[in-house]
Amino acid sequence: MNQDRLSLTFGALADPTRRAILQRLTKGEKTVAELAKPFMNEMSAPAITKHLRVLVKAGLISKGRKAQWRPCKIEKEALKEVANWMDQYSQFWEESFDRLDESLKKMTMKKGNKNGRKK
Amino acid sequence: MNQDRLSLTFGALADPTRRAILQRLTKGEKTVAELAKPFMNEMSAPAITKHLRVLVKAGLISKGRKAQWRPCKIEKEALKEVANWMDQYSQFWEESFDRLDESLKKMTMKKGNKNGRKK
């Protein structure tokens, strides 16, 4: 797997546990212990730590450095890069809708011409 | 890597060659040979075939079955799923802007009250 930034981000998002961790952080900062809690029955602590490390490496989350605790939080930049990348495809969809619209118009016009044609 | 659909899609997007192939397909259907052309100097034909297989497996592209050729084309559904998944985060950004807006309003109100207080 290539290690450019966008590839790292997509790679990090290619796992349901990591996406679930990210989603939990949309509700605010959380300690590693808080984040790990819902997954403790399914996986080991080192497995969760590894997932967090992948998210940090991809720039999707960061760990703060407060005296008593190190809360994790979302870093929006990496997500924005994904959103920007996606944008080129939303444009593509809109274009294909436009094309469909144009085809329908042509079909309607043809139908109109046909109906208006003298027999 | 987990094999659920969204993970497969993100995994397939986690590579610059595969993203480049996908982007080339936004301009219309292309045969495997046409798609492979710009990458032939950098990688082997089997490597390109493997990338295409990953994209097909993730549902991002499909191969048609015409008599003379098998053109590849984008399948929009998988990309739309990514866009839908992203949506929850765009909402999150808007919310954080709203919160900032609210904090600024409160600060302005407090300042107003302070200035209006009798001494």
Side-chain angles (χ1 to χ4, degrees):
Chain A
M1 195 179 286
N2 196 290
Q3 294 304 294
D4 67 287
R5 169 66 179 262
L6 204 47
S7 298
L8 271 179
T9 308
F10 278 127
L13 295 176
D15 182 280
T17 306
R18 291 198 287 268
R19 291 197 302 276
I21 290 172
L22 205 66
Q23 196 173 17
R24 293 197 72 219
L25 287 176
T26 61
K27 303 198 172 62
E29 296 187 359
K30 278 186 170 51
T31 62
V32 171
E34 282 171 333
L35 273 180
K37 215 176 171 186
F39 307 106
M40 289 301 273
N41 289 335
E42 310 160 33
M43 60 186 76
S44 66
I48 297 166
T49 308
K50 202 180 160 191
H51 280 312
L52 289 175
R53 209 181 301 136
V54 174
L55 287 166
V56 170
K57 201 181 164 196
L60 283 162
I61 69 169
S62 65
K63 281 187 194 175
R65 290 183 185 277
K66 295 191 182 177
Q68 299 295 323
W69 58 315
R70 300 190 59 194
C72 296
K73 64 166 188 160
I74 284 186
E75 290 294 330
K76 294 163 202 167
E77 276 311 309
L79 277 169
K80 277 186 191 167
E81 278 172 31
V82 174
N84 288 343
W85 181 86
M86 286 299 295
D87 265 355
Q88 65 185 318
Y89 293 96
S90 71
Q91 193 186 354
F92 171 62
W93 294 329
E94 282 158 22
E95 271 173 23
S96 71
F97 275 122
D98 286 349
R99 272 202 295 271
L100 180 68
D101 201 37
E102 212 163 291
S103 304
L104 286 173
K105 264 185 205 162
K106 274 181 193 165
M107 277 168 69
T108 319
M109 276 171 68
K110 263 188 191 170
K111 215 181 159 187
N113 288 345
K114 212 175 174 180
N115 290 344
R117 197 190 292 158
K118 283 177 190 172
K119 272 175 192 171
Chain B
M1 196 178 284
N2 196 289
Q3 293 303 293
D4 68 285
R5 168 67 178 260
L6 203 48
S7 298
L8 272 179
T9 309
F10 278 126
L13 295 175
D15 183 278
T17 306
R18 290 197 289 268
R19 292 197 302 277
I21 289 173
L22 205 65
Q23 198 174 16
R24 294 197 72 217
L25 288 174
T26 60
K27 304 200 171 65
E29 296 187 359
K30 279 187 170 51
T31 62
V32 172
E34 284 171 333
L35 274 180
K37 215 176 171 185
F39 308 107
M40 288 302 274
N41 289 335
E42 309 161 34
M43 60 186 78
S44 65
I48 297 166
T49 308
K50 203 180 159 192
H51 280 312
L52 289 175
R53 210 181 300 135
V54 174
L55 286 167
V56 170
K57 201 181 165 195
L60 283 162
I61 69 169
S62 66
K63 280 190 197 174
R65 289 182 185 279
K66 295 190 182 177
Q68 300 296 324
W69 58 315
R70 300 191 59 196
C72 296
K73 63 167 190 161
I74 285 187
E75 289 294 329
K76 295 165 202 164
E77 276 312 310
L79 277 169
K80 277 186 192 167
E81 277 173 32
V82 173
N84 288 343
W85 181 86
M86 286 299 296
D87 265 355
Q88 65 186 316
Y89 293 95
S90 70
Q91 193 185 355
F92 169 63
W93 294 327
E94 282 158 21
E95 270 174 24
S96 71
F97 275 120
D98 286 349
R99 271 202 295 273
L100 179 69
D101 200 38
E102 213 162 292
S103 303
L104 286 173
K105 263 186 204 160
K106 274 181 191 165
M107 277 168 70
T108 318
M109 275 171 69
K110 262 188 190 168
K111 214 181 159 189
N113 287 343
K114 215 176 173 180
N115 289 346
R117 198 189 290 158
K118 284 176 188 172
K119 273 177 192 173

